[in-house]
Amino acid sequence: MTTVLDVQRFKDEHRRFAMLTAYDFLSARILDEAGIPILLVGDSLGMVMLGYPTTLPVTLDDMLHHAKAVARGARQAMLVGDMPFMSYQASAEQAITSAGRFLQEAGMHAIKLEGGGPSIEVTRRLTETGIPVMGHLGLTPQFVHQMGGFKVQGKTESQAARILSDAQALEQAGAFSIVLEGVPSELAARITRSLHIPTIGIGAGPGTDGQVLVFHDMLGLTTGKAPKFVKRYANLAEEITRAASRYIEEVGNGTFPGPEHEYSANGSGPTSKEPREEVKYGAG
Ligand code: KIV
């Protein structure tokens, strides 16, 4: 299993690494078998899976529900649970209680939280408690109303200096890595050079130690236009539309089900409800 020590080793050995989001058992199992070292159960699930306009309505219970499913699917990846809005902002005690649930109930190995400022002290308290913390700076979606929208951050010298000093403070506080989202490439590269811990970029150019993408964006499994920084490695929305249209047509014209899809009176095949393999239900 990938650990925080491996993640540090990636940086020390100049090995770029990938992280992807996962929100359910099946995607976690597929990505895990593909060899992804880190899976993030991101609060982006609120927008991607639940149809919210922002990540703000996502609750800790929503996150734990999805995190448990991911933990049932993954075997080797490091699992990071994203602390949702209002699960850590009130106090360090609240943060420890929420983060503890990710590790204790949902089988996560680390948590992620957004922002500098008060999140720095929270990071210190969590790491002292034995809970590895991934920071998140730049375009932090939980600050959407403060930022006036999902906008690139760190374009001015003073904003850039603030993000750099927050990154250094998070490292000092014990964070094992930091996501840099929606910042200019030069700033992301500068922060990456100034830190001992790895940075993981999204919309932050090629100069970070790792990269993260949202699973559905990477697969083209979306309805709208992809942001400029996304590379689509497949076009699954088109593929699904094609398959569904064909299914609708074949049911309509009677070509499905064909003779090969029928059960005979004396034999029985598997049903979709039978377990296909041994599944571990331990983590929740
Ligand atoms: O919630 C999420 O998916 C994230 C990543 C985009 C870093 O925070």
Side-chain angles (χ1 to χ4, degrees):
M1 194 201 84
T2 308
T3 68
V4 289
L5 301 181
D6 297 313
V7 176
Q8 184 59 50
R9 206 167 297 126
F10 293 152
K11 172 145 188 161
D12 297 343
E13 295 174 359
H14 308 288
R15 285 158 58 196
R16 291 166 183 271
F17 60 94
M19 175 164 93
L20 279 167
T21 63
Y23 312 122
D24 59 32
F25 167 84
L26 184 61
S27 60
R29 175 60 55 90
I30 293 169
L31 296 176
D32 192 80
E33 288 183 350
I36 193 82
I38 314 177
L39 286 175
L40 170 68
V41 186
D43 65 352
S44 52
L45 68 83
M47 299 168 80
V48 179
M49 303 289 286
L50 307 177
Y52 294 133
T54 70
T55 57
L56 302 188
V58 178
T59 65
L60 183 57
D61 284 339
D62 291 334
M63 291 303 301
L64 292 171
H65 175 73
H66 287 271
K68 287 174 189 179
V70 168
R72 288 191 285 265
R75 292 175 172 134
Q76 58 77 29
M78 175 180 201
L79 305 179
V80 182
D82 207 2
M83 300 268 271
F85 187 55
M86 283 302 123
S87 70
Y88 61 98
Q89 285 88 348
S91 64
E93 286 65 35
Q94 185 206 25
I96 291 171
T97 305
S98 304
R101 293 190 66 192
F102 270 111
L103 271 66
Q104 203 165 34
E105 296 175 31
M108 299 289 102
H109 308 121
I111 60 89
K112 176 171 84 57
L113 45 76
E114 295 187 9
S119 292
I120 293 163
E121 181 52 22
V122 168
T123 298
R124 186 184 323 282
R125 292 285 304 278
L126 287 172
T127 51
E128 280 170 5
T129 313
I131 299 174
V133 175
M134 177 180 282
H136 184 163
L137 296 171
L139 194 173
T140 42
Q142 291 175 16
F143 290 73
V144 59
H145 296 311
Q146 185 86 1
M147 295 182 300
F150 296 104
K151 294 188 161 75
V152 172
Q153 301 294 301
K155 283 169 135 180
T156 66
E157 239 337 289
S158 67
Q159 267 188 4
R162 175 74 200 264
I163 297 172
L164 174 62
S165 69
D166 280 343
Q168 289 166 339
L170 281 171
E171 173 173 276
Q172 285 294 312
F176 75 94
S177 60
I178 300 178
V179 168
L180 295 175
E181 177 168 359
V183 298
S185 307
E186 314 76 59
L187 175 61
R190 188 169 145 214
I191 294 172
T192 301
R193 283 194 302 272
S194 86
L195 298 181
H196 301 291
I197 58 170
T199 58
I200 306 172
I202 175 162
T208 52
D209 301 300
Q211 295 287 331
V212 54
L213 282 177
V214 167
F215 174 78
H216 296 71
D217 288 344
M218 192 269 293
L219 293 175
L221 190 49
T222 57
T223 47
K225 253 184 80 185
K228 189 170 163 237
F229 60 80
V230 168
K231 177 166 178 184
R232 287 186 160 161
Y233 287 83
N235 224 323
L236 293 195
E238 276 182 29
E239 193 67 16
I240 291 170
T241 305
R242 243 194 317 275
S245 307
R246 209 168 139 211
Y247 170 66
I248 294 163
E249 189 187 314
E250 290 194 0
V251 170
N253 66 22
T255 46
F256 178 82
E260 69 275 32
H261 306 113
E262 291 175 33
Y263 289 115
S264 65
N266 53 2
S268 73
T271 74
S272 60
K273 295 279 163 45
E274 282 169 19
R276 288 130 207 246
E277 63 168 308
E278 194 67 28
V279 174
K280 190 164 73 49
Y281 289 97

